Structure formats: structure tokens, C-alpha cells
Amino acid sequence: MTFTPDHFSVWIEIPVTDLDRAVSFYNDVFTTELTRVSDSGPNEFAMFPVKNGGCAGHIYPGTPPARGTGPTVHLACPDTLEGTMERFAKAGGDVISDPIAIPGGRFAYGIDPDGNSIGMFASQ
């Protein structure tokens, strides 16, 4: 039997060197409000919000991989891809690709201030 779940990815964790700075960066870029949690483990972290209490992921104090060498996490754009790319650069990230079209939408690659590879994805 082949395992085929509804959603293969169930959680993301993005390591950051400065939680306050990273919360500001992701809030600004994705026009959201990460929820800070301080009573659920050894470190405070900040969760990405999703509707209906679904799973998403968080940023946490950790050691990011060398710049651009870790896995790429793709995050949903709150509006247009170009708008998100502009906020990404303005907030201190590096946009490292032009928009790329795929059957389900478009995305662009960026490197966050901690060196994490981030995809910005806009569905069609």
C-alpha cells in the first residue's frame, strides 16, 4: 500500500538567530501576526497563523544552515508575488530569482536575514 496523505508536509521549523528581528521580518513580509509561545518547550518560538487551527509551523531560536544551503520553505503570499518580493527585500531579505511560473501558480526564491532559503508562492 502506498501512503498518500492529504497533506504530506505537516510542520515547518525555521531556525533564526534573533527571534524579535525574525518575527518583525516575517510579519512585515507576509502581512501577518506570528503568535509568540513561551510556555511550550525549552525556548520561546513564534507560530505562523492558519485558519481553523490547522498546522503550519514556527520560527525558533536556533542555528540556521550556511546561507542558502538548507531546505527551501515555501510560504503563501498574502497578495501578489511582486508585492511580497518587494516587502521581502525592504525588510532585509535578498530576493534571488525572478518569478517562476508552475502549473499551480508562481513563486520566487529569497534568502531571509538569517540565510534561510524561502520561497514566496502565489497561486493562480
Side-chain angles (χ1 to χ4, degrees), residues 44-86:
E44 181 178 26
F45 56 90
M47 293 180 53
F48 289 98
V50 293
K51 292 180 181 177
N52 303 320
C55 294
H58 67 250
I59 58 176
Y60 69 97
T63 304
R67 180 178 166 79
T69 63
T72 300
V73 173
H74 289 262
L75 301 173
C77 295
D79 50 12
T80 66
L81 175 57
E82 288 76 12
T84 304
M85 292 168 67
E86 184 176 314

Side-chain angles (χ1 to χ4, degrees), residues 5-114:
D6 289 334
H7 302 283
F8 218 96
S9 178
V10 297
W11 193 258
I12 60 168
E13 294 183 328
I14 301 173
V16 298
T17 57
D18 181 325
L19 189 61
D20 291 331
R21 180 187 69 185
V23 166
S24 292
F25 174 82
Y26 284 98
N27 283 346
D28 290 348
V29 171
F30 294 98
T31 65
T32 194
E33 284 294 324
L34 276 73
T35 303
R36 292 179 83 123
V37 178
S38 60
D39 61 353
S40 185
N43 298 313
E44 181 178 26
F45 56 90
M47 293 180 53
F48 289 98
V50 293
K51 292 180 181 177
N52 303 320
C55 294
H58 67 250
I59 58 176
Y60 69 97
T63 304
R67 180 178 166 79
T69 63
T72 300
V73 173
H74 289 262
L75 301 173
C77 295
D79 50 12
T80 66
L81 175 57
E82 288 76 12
T84 304
M85 292 168 67
E86 184 176 314
R87 288 188 303 274
F88 196 93
K90 184 177 179 182
D94 294 320
V95 176
I96 60 170
S97 79
D98 290 329
I100 300 164
I102 58 174
R106 297 181 315 132
F107 72 95
Y109 290 110
I111 304 292
D112 78 0
D114 285 297

